[in-house]
Amino acid sequence: MRENSVLDGRQPGERQYQGRFVILVTGIPASGKSVLAEQMMQCHKSFILENNFEASSKPELVRMLERYGYRALTLRLTGDYARIYERFVQRENSPQRHPGHVTNSRYSKEEGAASSQTITLEQYIAGIRAREMDSLCVGGPAITVDTTDFSAVDWKKLYQEIDNFCLSHRK
């Protein structure tokens, strides 16, 4: 009898997922997420690294990419700041907000925590620009996706661009 591996996507009794899987990397600050990314690079594995990357992240990202011979595809999600800010505020104030999402000053499900003051549109825009959150690129190709209106995103074209990048980097 064969044991199931972590990456074949199955536990005993579960249906097969036809090779589709996602790896979610999460953890508290300083728990080792960057160390894990570096370990993946040392093993020459492809993976997705997701974060609110900003200008201050770039030097370390570039260092790791160069050290291990990786080329990154950057997907930059952006759009009309005012519309996205509306979604930000809705999410910030939603009682259904995911408990792991940090609000401006606290975790959203923290018992007895005082409400945090939502930042203004001007503060939101200033933070994006100061931290270069919608312009970061670490030297490889970048795809900018306007998410002002999700129904207007050409998902098929985006998937094709991602597939093309992945296929061009197969060993």
Side-chain angles (χ1 to χ4, degrees):
M1 177 181 236
R2 177 179 86 73
E3 284 189 34
N4 290 321
S5 73
V6 173
L7 294 180
D8 81 358
R10 293 186 292 162
Q11 295 295 322
E14 287 189 58
R15 69 184 179 96
Q16 185 171 351
Y17 289 97
Q18 302 172 356
R20 295 180 305 238
F21 65 91
V22 63
I23 297 173
L24 303 177
V25 178
T26 186
I28 62 173
S31 64
K33 297 177 296 295
S34 296
V35 171
L36 174 62
E38 192 155 2
Q39 292 296 314
M40 295 291 288
M41 288 182 184
Q42 288 175 8
C43 295
H44 307 288
K45 300 292 182 188
S46 298
F47 60 100
I48 293 174
L49 187 59
E50 185 273 334
N51 196 347
N52 293 328
F53 291 111
E54 53 189 89
S56 64
S57 306
K58 187 174 179 174
E60 182 62 17
L61 284 171
V62 168
R63 183 196 67 77
M64 285 196 310
L65 293 169
E66 289 175 353
R67 180 174 181 190
Y68 297 107
Y70 275 73
R71 188 162 186 229
L73 169 66
T74 301
L75 298 177
R76 291 189 297 232
L77 307 185
T78 190
D80 178 74
Y81 291 158
R83 176 62 192 114
I84 295 174
Y85 173 76
E86 290 173 11
R87 291 198 306 250
F88 171 82
V89 171
Q90 288 173 344
R91 184 183 71 181
E92 182 92 348
N93 296 321
S94 172
Q96 282 78 43
R97 183 175 176 125
H98 187 281
H101 286 156
V102 178
T103 63
N104 292 317
S105 63
R106 62 179 173 82
Y107 286 92
S108 60
K109 299 291 182 179
E110 203 172 81
E111 285 291 324
S115 294
S116 61
Q117 181 67 35
T118 301
I119 60 174
T120 66
L121 173 60
E122 293 75 20
Q123 291 169 319
Y124 178 78
I125 293 171
I128 291 168
R129 289 183 177 152
R131 295 160 62 190
E132 301 176 24
M133 295 179 83
D134 67 350
S135 62
L136 180 78
C137 189
V138 292
I143 300 171
T144 300
V145 182
D146 185 333
T147 62
T148 302
D149 177 359
F150 292 116
S151 68
V153 174
D154 186 343
W155 297 105
K156 192 172 186 174
K157 179 183 176 199
L158 176 61
Y159 301 152
Q160 187 61 55
E161 290 181 67
I162 295 167
D163 280 346
N164 290 344
F165 176 82
C166 293
L167 289 172
S168 72
H169 288 83
R170 277 198 170 163
K171 288 187 176 186

